[in-house]
Amino acid sequence: MNIYQDYQDELDRLSEQGNLRSLPHAVYQGKWVVRDGRKMCNLSSNDYLGLAADVSLRDEFLNTIEVEELLFSASSSRLLTGNFSIYDTLEDELAALYGAGAALVVGSGYHLNTGILPAVADAQTLILADKLVHASLIDGIRLSAARCIRYRHQDMEQLEMLLQKYHAAYSRIILVTESVFSMDGDVTDLSCLVAMKKRYPQVMLYVDEAHGVGVYGECGLGIAEEQGCIREVDFLCGTLGKALASVGAFVICSKVMKDYLVNRMRTLIFTTALPPVNISWTLFVVRRLSEWKSRRQHLYRLSEKLRQAIIQSGKPCGSGSHILPFTLGASELAIEKAMDMQQKGFYVLPVRPPTVPEGTSRLRFSLTAALSEPEVDALIQALLQ
Ligand SMILES: *Cc1c(COP(=O)(O)O)cnc(C)c1O
């Protein structure tokens, strides 16, 4: 008997359903992707402001840093000898930028979401999470001792009903959502969640701003800044690997919460800290975040253009952001359309179950400010042909 047969059968099954995944082999050059000898506009990266593609920015950074500071490893957890002073500087500046009590930086958004929830939610906690929250949040919820109920995507009435029904039965309730949803690009009405939270003393609000940080708000702090409710969010989570062109993630929270997480968050404690060189680069980017307003505005214009085109083509589009779905239904259709777009010079990838619900396979456009308006015009033409 072949011990790997079950796994092979499962792979065959995925392949039959058009859901088999593999690691793409491509060469990335700024806003371009080169694959199979074809040079395409990259419409699938999370480099929303085009900072990762900006060679002159990197050059400038490298000129600010001395070789002694170029540390490629922290060689330890932050709790032991990995807490270089650059970490404290970054956290102090993030906290100040957000006007909050504290900030805590960890290895990635995945570490953040799988670390905070198990640390803060016990068996007397109820987690109310949007049906479409990211896999890392689901994993964090699963690792916690809390009971969890998922409410229908963006259904504030159902959420209110659940709060009314359960608030007396739990010592703590945590509302978990994203500010910009990864797959549909729709934006959450955070002020509505804040209003609900205020009605019950034991409710905390957890907002994953992975796709909001850098892109929205006057200073690029995210949707909570745009909606004027940074202070009301108990856990404002931002990743550094997307618009901020770095690696890692941070949570903006109270001082008490930071101290607590330092004591209880396993994905902070039991892992090597990010290399100081990455933290230096993050700090360099964070210090300029408010300067990149014109990049943000350019991105809004491009997004609106593509959004209008998708709506005119008769597809549903609830997106209010730079992430735009073009829904095709069956996985095969999404794969076919993606291939077609790639042949026309646009690197867009199909998104299929289990990432999105069955029957909603789609192309997912993830726009970046590095694109020009004519490039987006050409993209629209290719898409609607
Ligand atoms: C990308 C993403 C994460 C994970 O962040 P990483 O830093 O890439 O690990 C978490 N939540 C959401 C909503 C994301 O889109």
Side-chain angles (χ1 to χ4, degrees):
M1 194 198 113
N2 178 354
I3 199 165
Y4 298 128
Q5 193 57 49
D6 288 350
Y7 303 113
Q8 186 58 55
D9 291 348
E10 179 64 13
L11 287 172
D12 293 345
R13 226 173 354 258
L14 289 172
S15 184
E16 270 162 37
Q17 297 160 350
N19 290 334
L20 186 69
R21 299 167 181 223
S22 62
L23 297 171
H25 299 286
V27 175
Y28 304 96
Q29 300 175 348
K31 64 175 168 177
W32 308 95
V33 184
V34 184
R35 199 175 170 182
D36 304 327
R38 202 184 297 123
K39 187 169 176 177
M40 300 169 277
C41 269
N42 190 352
L43 295 157
S44 299
S45 101
N46 300 318
D47 183 20
Y48 303 137
L49 297 181
L51 302 178
D54 190 332
V55 180
S56 62
L57 195 66
R58 246 176 291 158
D59 205 38
E60 218 179 300
F61 167 69
L62 290 173
N63 285 329
T64 68
I65 193 161
E66 299 294 328
V67 70
E68 301 85 72
E69 298 172 84
L70 270 180
L71 288 166
F72 299 115
S73 177
S75 306
S76 171
S77 160
R78 290 189 66 192
L79 275 290
L80 300 170
T81 65
N83 197 38
F84 291 74
S85 63
I86 189 90
Y87 266 96
D88 298 325
T89 310
L90 175 60
E91 288 177 346
D92 290 348
E93 292 197 20
L94 278 171
L97 205 56
Y98 279 85
L104 180 64
V105 172
V106 298
S108 73
Y110 191 84
H111 284 83
L112 199 65
N113 289 335
T114 53
I116 296 178
L117 289 168
V120 301
D122 61 12
Q124 280 75 54
T125 303
L126 174 66
I127 295 175
L128 296 173
D130 187 287
K131 186 81 184 140
L132 295 189
V133 292
H134 191 259
S136 55
L137 287 162
I138 305 292
D139 291 357
I141 291 167
R142 283 192 188 144
L143 285 169
S144 79
R147 173 171 179 209
C148 176
I149 302 175
R150 314 270 296 274
Y151 59 91
R152 282 185 297 272
H153 181 52
Q154 302 283 31
D155 189 337
M156 300 294 157
E157 272 176 40
Q158 190 193 9
L159 179 57
E160 176 72 64
M161 205 196 70
L162 290 168
L163 274 175
Q164 273 173 20
K165 183 167 174 191
Y166 290 109
H167 76 274
Y170 291 88
S171 63
R172 196 182 294 119
I173 297 179
I174 308 177
L175 306 183
V176 176
T177 191
E178 292 175 33
S179 62
V180 176
F181 275 84
S182 325
M183 291 301 139
D184 294 282
D186 54 323
V187 177
T188 303
D189 183 354
L190 295 179
S191 25
C192 180
L193 292 174
V194 166
M196 256 184 247
K197 165 190 138 144
K198 283 185 172 165
R199 285 202 278 280
Y200 305 96
Q202 76 276 48
V203 177
M204 293 196 286
L205 183 54
Y206 188 113
V207 181
D208 184 338
E209 288 249 39
H211 306 283
V213 164
V215 184
Y216 299 97
E218 190 65 19
C219 302
L221 304 182
I223 295 290
E225 185 199 8
E226 189 167 280
Q227 297 186 5
C229 59
I230 291 176
R231 279 165 190 283
E232 322 296 340
V233 180
D234 298 274
F235 304 91
L236 193 163
C237 300
T239 54
L240 298 165
K242 290 175 175 150
L244 271 55
S246 187
V247 62
F250 63 87
V251 57
I252 300 295
C253 58
S254 68
K255 177 79 174 63
V256 173
M257 189 52 78
K258 177 176 175 172
D259 292 344
Y260 180 78
L261 291 173
V262 166
N263 283 275
R264 286 285 183 269
M265 188 177 169
R266 297 171 69 85
T267 58
L268 167 76
I269 301 169
F270 299 107
T271 188
T272 302
L274 284 175
V277 65
N278 295 105
I279 302 297
S280 300
W281 164 248
T282 301
L283 185 59
F284 177 83
V285 172
V286 163
R287 283 180 173 161
R288 300 201 167 182
L289 201 50
S290 62
E291 288 173 27
W292 287 311
K293 207 171 152 184
S294 63
R295 289 195 192 225
R296 287 189 274 277
Q297 281 166 344
H298 178 59
L299 182 59
Y300 305 154
R301 276 193 300 276
L302 300 181
S303 309
E304 189 49 28
K305 208 165 206 184
L306 181 56
R307 197 175 77 87
Q308 290 303 335
I310 291 173
I311 289 171
Q312 273 164 25
S313 80
K315 301 273 182 201
C317 186
S319 168
S321 70
H322 56 289
I323 295 170
L324 294 125
F326 188 77
T327 308
L328 291 139
S331 295
E332 293 77 9
L333 289 178
I335 293 169
E336 208 174 292
K337 187 74 177 172
M339 296 305 264
D340 174 55
M341 289 301 287
Q342 290 180 22
Q343 258 149 26
K344 291 170 178 162
F346 300 98
Y347 193 62
V348 57
L349 298 172
V351 182
R352 297 163 275 172
T355 310
V356 293
E358 209 63 54
T360 70
S361 288
R362 64 194 68 185
L363 301 189
R364 174 179 179 269
F365 292 99
S366 176
L367 296 181
T368 151
L371 293 166
S372 69
E373 215 150 312
E375 280 165 342
V376 171
D377 289 335
L379 157 71
I380 289 170
Q381 208 183 6
L383 185 67
L384 302 184
Q385 247 166 26

